[in-house]
């Protein structure tokens, strides 16, 4: 039984080393800060990832580059770029709650919710499905922020949800 505990501890150490490669500019979300991160900004782009996933590994430098650009440009209460490790025992529940079934999945969270109510009464989760480059992600955020400004100033109906929700009716 002791051998099993050592193996489990080793897996945690390896996981931590994989997680902390390169400079981290994005906000690492855990169960302790989940609520404050999700509700602390008008807009949060969240990368739901798994460290073992090759696509998540490819996304990591892009995500951190995006976070550096966006966090330098916008105050914390406007936009945050965050990430949640879905392979972590603690945060796996958060990923399950958001119906994450592929990695990496990038969700758009507005005022604490990633749900977009549709006119037919159903809802869908708002995801970012654009190019995986820091420039494309930053341009997407710029567009979201400009549509939030339009809504705040009372110009336009439907607000940020109507302006940003491309129809992604993929089965969950």
């Amino acid at each position: 039984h002791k051998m099993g505990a050592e193996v489990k501890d080793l897996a945690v150490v390896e996981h931590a080393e994989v997680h902390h490669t390169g400079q981290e500019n994005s906000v690492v979300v855990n169960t302790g800060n989940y609520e404050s991160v999700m509700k602390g900004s008008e807009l949060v782009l969240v990368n739901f990832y798994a460290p073992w996933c090759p696509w998540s590994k490819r996304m990591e430098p892009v995500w951190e580059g995006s976070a550096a650009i966006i966090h330098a440009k916008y105050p914390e209460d406007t936009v945050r770029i965050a990430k949640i490790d879905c392979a972590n025992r603690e945060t796996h529940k958060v990923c399950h709650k958001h119906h994450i079934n592929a990695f990496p999945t990038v969700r758009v969270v507005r005022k604490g919710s990633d749900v977009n109510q549709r006119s037919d009464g159903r809802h869908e989760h708002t995801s970012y499905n654009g190019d995986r480059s820091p420039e494309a992600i930053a341009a997407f955020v710029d567009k979201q922020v400009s549509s939030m400004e339009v809504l705040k100033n009372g110009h336009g109906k439907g607000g940020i949800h109507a302006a940003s929700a491309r129809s992604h009716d993929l089965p969950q």
Side-chain angles (χ1 to χ4, degrees):
H1 292 282
K2 188 168 170 55
M3 175 76 172
E6 289 171 328
V7 170
K8 195 186 320 178
D9 290 344
L10 181 63
V12 170
V13 169
E14 285 175 358
H15 171 71
E17 288 171 1
V18 168
H19 182 70
H20 291 291
T21 55
Q23 172 138 8
E24 286 196 359
N25 300 301
S26 64
V27 179
V28 178
V29 176
N30 55 50
T31 53
N33 69 358
Y34 173 79
E35 288 292 324
S36 63
V37 171
M38 294 302 143
K39 294 180 178 174
S41 303
E42 296 270 329
L43 178 75
V44 183
L45 242 62
V46 186
N47 177 12
F48 292 90
Y49 73 98
W52 50 260
C53 167
W55 301 107
S56 291
K57 288 177 184 176
R58 268 192 180 170
M59 181 70 160
E60 180 74 11
V62 169
W63 197 246
E64 296 307 326
S66 303
I69 294 166
I70 293 159
H71 290 171
K73 190 171 187 177
Y74 296 105
E76 193 171 321
D77 63 347
T78 303
V79 183
R80 285 294 89 178
I81 302 299
K83 62 184 177 183
I84 299 177
D85 177 356
C86 294
N88 179 297
R89 243 189 321 251
E90 231 186 80
T91 51
H92 177 76
K93 290 177 273 198
V94 173
C95 300
H96 185 72
K97 175 184 160 192
H98 285 271
H99 306 283
I100 303 302
N101 53 21
F103 305 115
T105 295
V106 177
R107 287 279 170 81
V108 180
V109 177
R110 293 180 192 85
K111 298 187 180 188
S113 175
D114 70 343
V115 175
N116 182 32
Q117 280 303 131
R118 295 181 357 175
S119 59
D120 63 5
R122 297 174 62 208
H123 74 271
E124 60 193 3
H125 297 276
T126 309
S127 297
Y128 170 77
N129 294 316
D131 289 342
R132 302 291 170 107
S133 74
E135 298 77 19
I137 293 170
F140 175 80
V141 167
D142 289 341
K143 191 173 179 182
Q144 300 306 302
V145 171
S146 67
S147 66
M148 288 187 320
E149 295 303 318
V150 166
L151 179 62
K152 274 186 195 172
N153 296 329
H155 303 85
K157 277 206 175 292
I160 186 168
H161 292 284
S164 65
R166 286 190 281 168
S167 183
H168 300 299
D169 289 333
L170 299 175
Q172 286 286 349

